[in-house]
Amino acid sequence: MENQPLKSWADSAATLVAVAAGRAPADTVLRGGKVVNVHTREVLDGWQVAISAGRFAYVGPDASHCIGPDTDVIELAGRYLIPGLCDGHMHIESGMLTPAEFASAVIPHGTTTMFTDPHEIANVLGLRGVKLMHDEALIQPISIYTQMPSCAPSAPGLETTGYEIGPEDVAEAMTWQGIIGLGEMMNFPGVVNGSQQMLAEIAATQNAGKTVGGHYASPDLGPDFHAYAAGGPADDHEGTCEADAIARVRQGMRSMMRLGSAWYDVETQITAITEKGLDSRNFILCTDDCHSGTLVNDGHMNRVVRHAIECGCDPLIALQMATINTATHFGLERELGSIAPGRRADLIVTSDLRALPVERVIAQGKTVAKDGEIIVNCPHLDWPDDARQTVHLGRELGASDFEIKGPDGAQTVTAKVIGVVENQAPTEALKRTIPVERGLLEPTDAVCQIALVERHRGTGDVVNALVEGFGYEGAMAMASTVAHDSHHMIVVGTDRAQMALAANRLAEVGGGVTVWKDGAELALVELPIAGLMSDRPARDVAANADQMVAAMEACGCTLNNAYMQHSLLALVVIPSLRLSDLGLVDVTKFELTDLIEETQ
């Protein structure tokens, strides 16, 4: 059964006033605890909270006048009430889960609001895919707001996506209920250079009175950065150091500091608050990308808040950056993000503001989780067949499709190699000497092959290059249809026959991730929806993902969250080297580049 839509504050005001005045009984009263007020940054010992119609009606020292014979009274025994946590920027698809299963996974961790950018599915299914994500998001028991993806392709001219998003798509989406703004504007060179399309998408969003998401993935804080800020993006999550965070807030942007499965950018930026003493109101915590294993085993926004506190942040400031700051940024301060009258009754009961155990979660006035277990239904959309049939290779692939031919007569070549950096989104642009045997490049030692296999139109095209940093050994291959942002298929391996086996396997199952070694499949994570997501429970997907991680380790990989690194090898908007269906991309110059530099 679908969850009933929450009435607006305006439509609920008469009820809320009556409850707060004592003329009508509350649905729920919480007493005997301590209310964390994120508006004033104080803990109000003994304050009580009355909830009615899914919203806070009374927040004050004594709610006894709100209690009727049928009111559910929850005794807190000295525990804290904190607002439900908000994730300011994230991609549901990165969890390998549909919105329903993602919600089911994060609700027990205290996340009650998410601002999501479904640009992964936009690259595969276009505006229709965004609408499917949006529709499933709206029927969940927590608040999931959708940002209309801005960049599909993320770098026009450097990749080919399944579908393209244009200004007319953005303008249409701005009329949908639940669309909160424009997803991260990744084509920052387009904005800086005055691209009419990018500026038209931003204008359509601003004219609708909604928020423009940013993505400035460059260390250059000179004129280009200032030009980007002038274009309209209101936030940015791509900062990796203190200077990045400071530069953004000085330009009137919000600095979104992320802790995802592979991104550890809070510790290096939060010193802008803890050491430099900058006003914390313009800083927001987010996850960006969390896979199912992280959600099941480590947490979601509660994990980010705990981490910020461990990095020296005052607990109340950390909570503000995961609640009211986020709500204010999206123009929702009067709707959510705090325990105050009229707001959505989203809260967490916890006994410790630092360790942040999540003992009870209330969303829109209803208890949705207790002691780490969800107790409500998260309804599923009936995903259509064409959304489950998106891997089109056009033909069966063989080992020869993964050959990299060397120049005639060459014995070695100097080649560009994508260098994976642990726990960071950027890659290095390496140069390595590669042997040539029987006319083919045969990488050795730490270097292995990477291929991008076209999977949207069935062209049969395969583009090959080189990568270093995974530590793979023996005859192995790993393939994934999760390949940000174009989401073709990425195959990394040390053996061309294994690479073919892995690619063909994903075509057979309709997408996902597979690891092969010595002719046998060690792990498979099936992601049949758009080749990106599963509608199975998060624990099941996480268990398969754990097998995948173990399989990667069995192949010699010891990197932290190496799968996330694998999935970003086609992300042609973050430096330095990436691979697309058009070839090797130098992201520092935003141009295609040759794999082979010199011949010996």
Side-chain angles (χ1 to χ4, degrees):
M1 190 177 91
E2 293 185 7
N3 298 287
Q4 294 300 311
L6 182 71
K7 289 183 179 179
S8 70
W9 186 347
D11 290 341
S12 306
T15 300
L16 300 178
V17 169
V19 171
R23 296 191 300 270
D27 297 331
T28 306
V29 166
L30 299 102
R31 65 187 183 187
K34 305 170 184 176
V35 174
V36 173
N37 190 311
V38 292
H39 290 288
T40 58
R41 201 189 297 161
E42 60 181 337
V43 178
L44 302 168
D45 195 357
W47 273 40
Q48 300 177 8
V49 174
I51 296 170
S52 187
R55 295 180 179 274
F56 296 117
Y58 173 88
V59 182
D62 184 1
S64 59
H65 63 291
C66 305
I67 298 174
D70 297 322
T71 300
D72 180 19
V73 178
I74 300 173
E75 301 289 354
L76 297 172
R79 291 175 294 177
Y80 297 91
L81 292 181
I82 64 175
L85 302 178
C86 307
D87 192 343
H89 172 74
M90 49 87 68
H91 309 283
I92 285 176
E93 303 100 316
S94 293
M96 302 179 176
L97 305 167
T98 57
E101 290 302 335
F102 198 103
S104 182
V106 302
I107 285 171
H109 297 306
T111 298
T112 57
T113 303
M114 298 188 290
F115 297 91
T116 73
D117 178 359
H119 70 218
E120 320 302 351
I121 202 169
N123 281 271
V124 181
L125 294 172
L127 188 62
R128 181 160 173 270
V130 175
K131 188 66 163 59
L132 290 168
M133 294 288 285
H134 162 271
D135 289 352
E136 185 164 293
L138 282 184
I139 59 177
Q140 301 312 310
I142 60 173
S143 304
I144 304 180
Y145 293 92
T146 302
Q147 296 172 294
M148 175 60 197
S150 61
C151 299
S154 58
L158 295 179
E159 64 181 356
T160 311
T161 54
Y163 284 83
E164 295 188 5
I165 294 292
E168 65 285 353
D169 297 313
V170 172
E172 178 183 334
M174 290 301 143
T175 67
W176 300 348
Q177 176 192 359
I179 291 287
I180 197 66
L182 189 68
E184 54 182 301
M185 178 49 72
M186 294 178 289
N187 187 2
F188 59 90
V191 174
V192 171
N193 293 318
S195 162
Q196 290 187 348
Q197 177 175 334
M198 296 301 103
L199 295 180
E201 290 184 6
I202 292 173
T205 306
Q206 292 175 321
N207 290 336
K210 298 181 186 295
T211 305
V212 178
H215 169 116
Y216 184 79
S218 170
D220 179 6
L221 297 176
D224 280 2
F225 170 70
H226 290 263
Y228 183 72
D235 56 62
D236 187 45
H237 57 273
E238 288 295 334
T240 59
C241 64
E242 182 185 272
D244 288 340
I246 292 174
R248 284 151 176 77
V249 296
R250 282 177 175 169
Q251 294 298 308
M253 302 169 76
R254 259 76 177 205
S255 171
M256 289 188 169
M257 301 180 291
R258 62 185 174 183
L259 178 74
S261 290
W263 319 138
Y264 289 71
D265 297 320
V266 174
E267 185 173 7
T268 54
Q269 297 184 88
I270 204 167
T271 51
I273 299 168
T274 60
E275 296 180 11
K276 291 294 191 295
L278 269 62
D279 190 330
S280 61
R281 288 178 299 173
N282 291 314
F283 293 82
I284 290 170
L285 296 174
C286 69
T287 65
D288 198 358
D289 297 294
C290 274
H291 63 59
S292 55
T294 301
L295 300 179
V296 170
N297 300 318
D298 302 325
H300 189 232
M301 282 304 298
N302 57 331
R303 169 177 175 257
V304 187
V305 173
R306 281 196 302 263
H307 177 69
I309 295 169
E310 290 166 359
C311 291
C313 187
D314 181 296
L316 297 187
I317 292 176
L319 286 171
Q320 286 179 314
M321 293 193 292
T323 57
I324 192 64
N325 292 9
T326 314
T328 300
H329 177 58
F330 288 101
L332 294 172
E333 184 178 344
R334 299 276 292 168
E335 183 65 19
L336 50 85
S338 66
I339 300 175
R343 276 68 168 184
R344 297 186 181 197
D346 299 338
L347 61 81
I348 298 168
V349 177
T350 183
S351 55
D352 189 326
L353 291 185
R354 288 184 173 272
L356 216 62
V358 179
E359 293 155 19
R360 181 191 289 258
V361 183
I362 293 177
Q364 298 178 25
K366 298 177 182 178
T367 296
V368 291
K370 289 182 72 175
D371 299 321
E373 297 295 330
I374 189 166
I375 59 173
V376 292
N377 178 47
C378 292
H380 283 242
L381 202 67
D382 185 13
W383 289 82
D385 288 344
D386 65 317
R388 296 176 179 270
Q389 299 165 359
T390 63
V391 182
H392 310 291
L393 301 192
R395 61 188 176 86
E396 185 171 330
L397 301 179
S400 62
D401 289 301
F402 300 94
E403 294 176 351
I404 305 176
K405 291 181 169 55
D408 291 343
Q411 293 185 336
T412 62
V413 297
T414 300
K416 298 186 181 76
V417 176
I418 302 170
V420 173
V421 182
E422 188 170 31
N423 291 332
Q424 289 192 10
T427 63
E428 294 179 307
L430 306 176
K431 294 181 182 179
R432 296 289 185 260
T433 299
I434 307 297
V436 179
E437 300 176 11
R438 297 179 297 281
L440 301 177
L441 270 64
E442 298 289 357
T444 58
D445 301 324
V447 180
C448 55
Q449 290 194 206
I450 175 174
L452 187 140
V453 179
E454 200 283 334
R455 67 113 163 166
H456 297 308
R457 296 178 176 81
T459 64
D461 292 344
V462 179
V463 178
N464 290 288
L466 301 168
V467 65
E468 178 179 307
F470 287 110
Y472 290 134
E473 300 170 346
M476 61 72 62
M478 175 173 175
S480 171
T481 51
V482 178
H484 303 273
D485 280 324
S486 59
H487 296 292
H488 289 289
M489 184 189 297
I490 285 284
V491 189
V492 173
T494 60
D495 180 88
R496 291 186 281 271
Q498 307 297 308
M499 295 174 77
L501 287 168
N504 292 328
R505 176 64 165 152
L506 292 187
E508 175 190 344
V509 300
V513 190
T514 184
V515 182
W516 288 68
K517 183 176 176 64
D518 298 328
E521 186 176 55
L522 299 187
L524 173 66
V525 183
E526 293 190 54
L527 304 174
I529 298 176
L532 302 172
M533 298 175 290
S534 170
D535 51 3
R536 296 173 60 196
R539 290 187 185 279
D540 294 350
V541 177
N544 289 337
D546 287 345
Q547 284 187 311
M548 173 192 71
V549 172
M552 295 174 74
E553 291 174 353
C555 294
C557 181
T558 59
L559 281 184
N560 181 51
N561 275 302
Y563 161 74
M564 194 67 79
Q565 304 288 358
H566 177 105
S567 71
L568 294 178
L569 291 169
L571 188 53
V572 294
V573 292
I574 296 183
S576 293
L577 278 183
R578 305 282 167 170
L579 189 62
S580 86
D581 63 304
L582 301 180
L584 193 63
V585 179
D586 182 338
V587 186
T588 62
K589 300 177 180 178
F590 267 82
E591 64 184 27
L592 296 169
T593 187
D594 292 331
L595 173 65
I596 297 173
E597 279 204 343
E598 296 178 13
T599 302
Q600 291 90 30

